[in-house]
Structures are given as structure tokens and as C-alpha cells.
Amino acid sequence: MELNSSDTIPSRLEAVKATLREGVHLVAVSKFHPAEVIIEAYEAGQRTFGESRVQELVAKHDILSAIYLDLQWHFIGPLQTNKVKYIAPFVDTIESVDSLKLLREINKQAIKNQRTISVLLEVHVAREDSKSGFDTDELREVLELIHNNPQDFEGVRLSGLMAMASNTDDESLIRREFATMQELFHRIKTSGLLHEPDDFEELSIGMSGDYKIAMEYSATLVRIGSAIFGDRVG
Ligand SMILES: *Cc1c(COP(=O)(O)O)cnc(C)c1O
């Protein structure tokens, strides 16, 4: 991503927003950037921010929450079960749910806080082993389990799916992965397995480098960091 030094966060944010299709919601990924840049984006109208580390999210929430009351957080990174309790009091959506154990803990902590937390199930669609998420068999098992035991998941709202495509210049591979996600999303939505199919509405695919492609495959959420905030420091 080429960034002109005269570019500002508001102008980059506007430029990204101008490219979004109707109905696509932007998660501004502010990880590794200080709270000040979140304020800049907030002042320019952005309300939903994505973070990938618990400590960093909690620190930013502590700074910002008293003033920016309608700012919403999406957690998008690997999440250890024992850290859910730190973000459960305030996080809006956890996009990176990659195990049943994690889902159960989010449910437990949500109930403890008398809240409902939206969750996206992360799907492992990329070729890279380093990426996390359920494969399709595991996904079906989890959905069946939730279907058969809804009373065990009353603290979470099953809002959709998340995935990261392969980090590659091979656009055809990225397209295949997004197409897989689009189809999987549709199959689940119409499967009869969901108690609240209307809640299942988000397909979170697409980052700075591939979100325009993702929108061709029915993305409803795009998670964009560097195109708005510049390259990460660290
Ligand atoms: C960092 C991150 C993003 C944003 O990446 P950019 O390339 O900076 O837009 C999106 N999704 C996840 C899960 C991330 O960790």
C-alpha cells in the first residue's frame, strides 16, 4: 500500500469508504496504533474498530470508553480462553471464534456480565497452516451442537462467519477461497440448523489488500487496517 505522507487518516478513511459497496460495514483495524488515531477516525465518523490483542484492547477501551460512548469493538485476533473475561464486559463482537471451548467461555462470560456477545465462527480457508479456524467438518459439528443445545449458548448471538484468505499475489486462489466462504455462508444460513437465521448475517472476509475482491463474494464486513492507518509499527 503506497501512502503519501500528506494523506491524513480522515482522507484515507473517506477514500476507503467511497469504495465500499452498499451494505458493507467497515471495521477499522487499529491494532498497533495508539488511541489518538482511533480518536481521529472516530471524529471522522468511524464507530467500529478492530483489535487483535487483549491487553491492547483493554488499554484502549480504558482510555476511550468514558468519552466515546458509541464506539464499538470487534476482537479479531487469536483469543486465549483465560483472557475472555477481560473483554467480555464491553466487546461488541468476537470475530475469531475458532474452538468450541472458546465459544463456551465467551457464552459464560457474557452471561456473567448480563450481556449478549455477537460471535463469528472463524473458518480455516487459506492454504497456510499458520492460520486458525474451523474446517468445514468441525464447523458442522459445532453448529449441530448449538442446534441441539441452545440453552447452553444463550449468552452469544451467532452472527456469521469470518475468514482470512491466503496471503498471496495469486488472485485466483483468493477468489476461490472467498467463493468457498460465500457458499459455506449460504449453506449454513439456509440449512435449518440455525435457531435464529436472521441473526446470521455477517460474512467477514477482506482486508486492505483483498477487500475489493471480497465484496464480489458477498462480504458484509471488511476489516481494514493499513489502508486507513498506514503501516503498523511493530
Ligand atoms: C491485522 C488484521 C486485519 C487488517 O489487516 P490490513 O492488511 O492492515 O488491512 C484484518 N483481519 C485480521 C484478522 C487482522 O489480524
Side-chain angles (χ1 to χ4, degrees), residues 35-200:
E36 291 75 54
V37 308
I38 298 177
I39 295 172
E40 268 193 77
Y42 182 95
E43 302 286 359
Q46 181 62 24
R47 292 293 177 270
T48 307
F49 293 87
E51 290 283 337
S52 60
R53 293 178 181 183
V54 168
Q55 262 193 323
E56 187 177 343
L57 171 53
V58 170
K60 287 174 181 171
H61 173 74
D62 285 348
I63 295 171
L64 299 169
S65 64
I67 308 166
Y68 304 96
L69 299 176
D70 58 349
L71 192 155
Q72 285 194 337
W73 296 108
H74 281 211
F75 193 83
I76 63 170
L79 180 55
Q80 285 172 266
T81 308
N82 63 359
K83 293 193 175 168
V84 173
K85 58 178 176 285
Y86 301 116
I87 62 172
F90 64 87
V91 73
D92 180 76
T93 301
I94 298 178
E95 296 200 12
S96 43
V97 177
D98 61 358
S99 74
L100 180 58
K101 187 172 163 228
L102 179 59
L103 183 63
R104 287 194 190 282
E105 179 64 14
I106 295 167
N107 179 69
K108 181 176 145 193
Q109 295 297 334
I111 290 169
K112 211 175 195 174
N113 286 278
Q114 296 177 293
R115 303 185 65 229
T116 305
I117 296 177
S118 292
V119 294
L120 305 185
L121 301 178
E122 182 173 354
V123 180
H124 185 187
V125 73
R127 295 287 165 84
E128 294 135 63
D129 288 338
S130 57
K131 301 227 162 108
S132 45
F134 296 103
D135 66 30
T136 45
D137 289 340
E138 293 166 337
L139 197 59
R140 186 176 340 98
E141 283 170 31
V142 173
L143 290 167
E144 284 172 359
L145 188 91
I146 299 170
H147 177 81
N148 295 329
N149 305 275
Q151 72 285 354
D152 291 347
F153 298 95
E154 285 177 348
V156 292
R157 180 185 302 107
L158 188 53
S159 299
L161 302 178
M162 185 272 248
M164 287 169 96
S166 293
N167 184 8
T168 173
D169 291 333
D170 179 357
E171 189 179 312
S172 67
L173 177 59
I174 295 173
R175 285 182 180 278
R176 284 202 298 281
E177 292 172 354
F178 285 158
T180 300
M181 290 304 301
Q182 182 181 33
E183 205 215 309
L184 192 57
F185 179 85
H186 180 74
R187 280 217 319 265
I188 294 170
K189 176 109 176 156
T190 56
S191 64
L193 268 182
L194 300 169
H195 288 283
E196 304 285 352
D198 288 348
D199 284 352
F200 196 83

Side-chain angles (χ1 to χ4, degrees), residues 29 31 52 76-77 162 164 206-209 223-227 232:
V29 177
K31 65 184 185 197
S52 60
I76 63 170
M162 185 272 248
M164 287 169 96
M207 311 177 22
S208 291
R223 309 176 309 269
I224 301 184
S226 48
R232 294 180 281 278

